[in-house]
Amino acid sequence: MARSRPPLVDCDIHNELWPGALRPHLPQRWRDHDDTYGGRADGGTSYPKGSPRAARADAWPPSGRPPGGDLEFMRAQHLDHYDIRYGVLNCLTTACREQNPDYAAALCRAVNEWQVAEWLEKEPRLRAGIVVPYEDPALAAAEIDRAAQHPGFVQVLLLVRTDEPLGRRRYHPIFEAAVRNGLPVGIHFGGGRGRNPLTASGWPSFYIEDHTAMAQAFQAQVVSMVVEGLFEFFPALRVVLVEGGFGWLPPLMWRMDKHWARLRGEVPHLTRPPSEYVREHLWVTTQPIEEPPDPRDLLAVFDEMGGVERVMFSTDYPHWDFDDPDRAFRARLDPDARARILSGNAVALYGLD
């Protein structure tokens, strides 16, 4: 089928580790640790996905590697098939959540070296997020400074369910390192180490609750980053909310502004209404996109968030809730807005040209 759209920038592609992939990139000390003790990170969500490895049924490559683990298959099924100009890899490894901080740092470094060797150096269309042990911010900052020297890394990758809200000052070294290296921070769906329930009311019963309620974690992080003054500390900081939806963002902005107007004496470090920080410092990706019954209403959501300039296209390949680029939008966008969402905004944010 001939396509009238511009070439895409896909801001959320998942590359997957295969058994033994990190061994060549780990020092012998940590290979021995892995053989003797193994990891102590959780497996992510407490509820299983409807498909193994959360993958589309057709995304298992003939090589026997997991979905997202075979570059040749990814090229054929995704990059070439959809005429993707650039793709940003977000590797959802448990390395960033290991309980042993030194082991977590070693694993994250190995993951980033693996990304360079197996993906970035082999496919010029791919870029990647730097995987970091974010619960030890000093170690995370050191890995950002090291990995950022490779031009293929275009953001720092965090998962949304952290041990504490990201606006807390303990996480400042991560954001400081990101700004120092000129990189946005991408906050992706998932995470958690079993310490905190996903909701403010306890643990949900069903996977559908867990999957739907992840938006609560994104809301909590946005409130924390804004109200704790993160963007006052780091005026150049740029944050991308990846796979968290965004239909909830305008009402949250209104709510923060309302309460700031009455309670601003508690947070004198905020020099502007909270919504202004959101419009200046936050970007979102499109998958999953909350599409109202009347597609025209989506355009009003874009306007409230700060305009289409803050929206970037993503597919979530190879996961089961993948968005097909040729079917993703029901709203009628003017050509300029469509081009911005499909490629232009990401090119500008990540410096891809």
Side-chain angles (χ1 to χ4, degrees), residues 150-169:
H150 192 284
F153 288 111
V154 295
Q155 70 181 1
V156 176
L157 180 62
L158 311 179
L159 299 184
V160 71
R161 293 189 61 196
T162 48
D163 285 355
E164 297 181 49
L166 283 170
R168 294 284 179 88
R169 296 187 187 188

Side-chain angles (χ1 to χ4, degrees), residues 136-155:
D136 192 310
L139 292 175
E143 179 59 14
I144 294 168
D145 287 335
R146 187 198 69 84
Q149 303 309 306
H150 192 284
F153 288 111
V154 295
Q155 70 181 1

Side-chain angles (χ1 to χ4, degrees), residues 175-241:
F175 298 105
E176 183 178 18
V179 170
R180 181 166 60 244
N181 289 282
L183 296 175
V185 174
I187 303 175
H188 193 283
F189 181 109
R193 299 197 291 189
R195 297 185 179 184
N196 304 314
L198 177 61
T199 80
S201 302
W203 294 97
S205 301
F206 301 103
Y207 170 70
I208 187 173
E209 292 181 86
D210 189 276
H211 201 69
T212 303
M214 196 67 72
Q216 296 181 29
F218 280 92
Q219 292 178 53
Q221 296 290 22
V222 170
V223 173
S224 174
M225 290 187 291
V226 170
V227 173
E228 295 265 7
L230 187 64
F231 303 115
E232 287 287 345
F233 282 107
F234 305 108
L237 178 62
R238 299 163 295 165
V239 172
V240 185
L241 307 180

Side-chain angles (χ1 to χ4, degrees), residues 87-325:
V88 180
L89 299 172
N90 292 312
C91 185
L92 303 183
T93 170
T94 59
C96 57
R97 306 195 297 277
E98 278 290 338
Q99 299 285 359
N100 180 330
D102 293 323
Y103 185 43
L107 286 175
C108 288
R109 176 170 181 153
V111 170
N112 293 326
E113 291 181 353
W114 166 79
Q115 293 198 98
V116 170
E118 299 293 338
W119 302 89
L120 302 181
E121 296 295 335
K122 293 182 178 181
E123 174 49 69
R125 288 173 289 184
L126 292 178
R127 302 294 186 269
I130 301 174
V131 175
V132 297
Y134 48 76
E135 298 302 352
D136 192 310
L139 292 175
E143 179 59 14
I144 294 168
D145 287 335
R146 187 198 69 84
Q149 303 309 306
H150 192 284
F153 288 111
V154 295
Q155 70 181 1
V156 176
L157 180 62
L158 311 179
L159 299 184
V160 71
R161 293 189 61 196
T162 48
D163 285 355
E164 297 181 49
L166 283 170
R168 294 284 179 88
R169 296 187 187 188
R170 61 165 293 213
Y171 292 109
H172 278 197
I174 296 174
F175 298 105
E176 183 178 18
V179 170
R180 181 166 60 244
N181 289 282
L183 296 175
V185 174
I187 303 175
H188 193 283
F189 181 109
R193 299 197 291 189
R195 297 185 179 184
N196 304 314
L198 177 61
T199 80
S201 302
W203 294 97
S205 301
F206 301 103
Y207 170 70
I208 187 173
E209 292 181 86
D210 189 276
H211 201 69
T212 303
M214 196 67 72
Q216 296 181 29
F218 280 92
Q219 292 178 53
Q221 296 290 22
V222 170
V223 173
S224 174
M225 290 187 291
V226 170
V227 173
E228 295 265 7
L230 187 64
F231 303 115
E232 287 287 345
F233 282 107
F234 305 108
L237 178 62
R238 299 163 295 165
V239 172
V240 185
L241 307 180
V242 186
E243 202 179 326
F246 54 84
W248 47 265
L249 193 51
L252 184 69
M253 295 160 67
W254 304 335
R255 187 176 179 86
M256 285 194 293
D257 281 359
K258 174 184 177 181
H259 292 311
W260 176 79
R262 297 175 178 176
L263 304 172
R264 59 196 297 177
E266 184 187 20
V267 286
H269 51 272
L270 297 187
T271 60
R272 295 178 287 160
S275 61
E276 293 189 18
Y277 295 100
V278 171
R279 293 188 180 101
E280 181 176 333
H281 294 276
L282 294 189
W283 282 254
V284 299
T285 64
T286 60
Q287 194 288 325
I289 186 169
E290 300 99 343
E291 294 187 282
D294 186 342
R296 293 171 296 182
D297 291 339
L298 184 62
L299 305 181
V301 173
F302 290 160
D303 288 342
E304 290 293 335
M305 290 167 40
V308 295
E309 294 82 2
R310 298 302 181 191
V311 184
M312 304 189 298
F313 182 76
S314 63
T315 66
D316 195 30
Y317 178 87
H319 291 167
W320 63 269
D321 47 357
F322 163 86
D323 275 358
D324 187 314

Side-chain angles (χ1 to χ4, degrees), residues 14 16 48-61 65-69 73 77 207 316-322:
H14 297 295
E16 182 73 28
K49 302 280 189 181
S51 304
R53 291 185 180 268
R56 291 164 36 183
D58 66 342
W60 292 81
R65 287 183 177 178
F73 190 76
Q77 187 178 57
Y207 170 70
D316 195 30
Y317 178 87
H319 291 167
W320 63 269
D321 47 357
F322 163 86

